[in-house]
Amino acid sequence: MSQMRRATGIAFALVCCLAPATQSYGQEARGVSYSSIPPNALSIVAQVRAKPGKAEELRSATLPLIAQVRSDPKNLVYFLQESREQPGHFIFYEVFATEADFEAHNAMPYVKEWFKTIEKLADGGVTVMKMTVLK
């Protein structure tokens, strides 16, 4: 099984299996519920791996994204996850209503700055899979 497929499976399992246990946190923050996700919404599963010796720096550069992305009204769901077996391997799970909302998110100054910052920290850049949320 490819690492991306395995990572996607892990992200899916985390969202599906852990969401009910953590749902109250999301609802407190923005009132997000499954029923608020529009049909055919855009789901993003992305990953980035730290260069050797750069895991802590990549983590420090990436953690602020949680509050920033979750405060974006165009973002419906955002989870940042780190592998327990491979520290410095991050999986992002994001949901946007439309592709245009995702593109607007990527145009935000803090996102552009993060991409510049990780050039020296990430091994191979960010891998992104665009998916459709099925209801």
Side-chain angles (χ1 to χ4, degrees):
M1 180 181 298
S2 76
Q3 287 189 357
M4 186 62 187
R5 184 176 291 169
R6 194 167 121 228
T8 302
I10 292 168
F12 179 77
L14 285 169
V15 171
C16 291
C17 298
L18 296 181
T22 60
Q23 187 173 358
S24 63
Y25 296 117
Q27 287 180 344
E28 289 172 17
R30 296 209 11 229
V32 175
S33 69
Y34 291 118
S35 63
S36 70
I37 306 297
N40 300 315
L42 176 68
S43 171
I44 302 297
V45 179
Q47 70 173 341
V48 63
R49 294 175 190 272
K51 289 180 179 178
K54 298 292 185 180
E56 184 58 43
E57 286 180 73
L58 182 57
R59 184 181 305 107
S60 293
T62 304
L63 283 173
L65 292 178
I66 296 170
Q68 293 169 320
V69 176
R70 287 181 179 174
S71 70
D72 180 347
K74 295 188 182 294
N75 175 263
L76 304 176
V77 176
Y78 181 82
F79 288 101
L80 172 63
Q81 301 150 101
E82 183 174 15
S83 171
R84 291 181 181 196
E85 290 82 27
Q86 298 175 351
H89 179 197
F90 298 92
I91 301 287
F92 303 80
Y93 180 78
E94 307 175 54
V95 177
F96 296 88
T98 65
E99 180 92 24
D101 288 348
F102 175 62
E103 295 305 327
H105 159 73
N106 281 339
M108 297 295 287
Y110 69 87
V111 175
K112 289 180 176 183
E113 185 62 33
W114 180 79
F115 274 105
K116 286 180 191 173
T117 299
I118 68 159
E119 287 177 5
K120 64 183 182 292
L121 304 174
D123 187 11
V126 180
T127 304
V128 177
M129 289 182 12
K130 294 181 180 180
M131 306 178 83
T132 298
V133 174
L134 304 175
K135 286 217 170 199

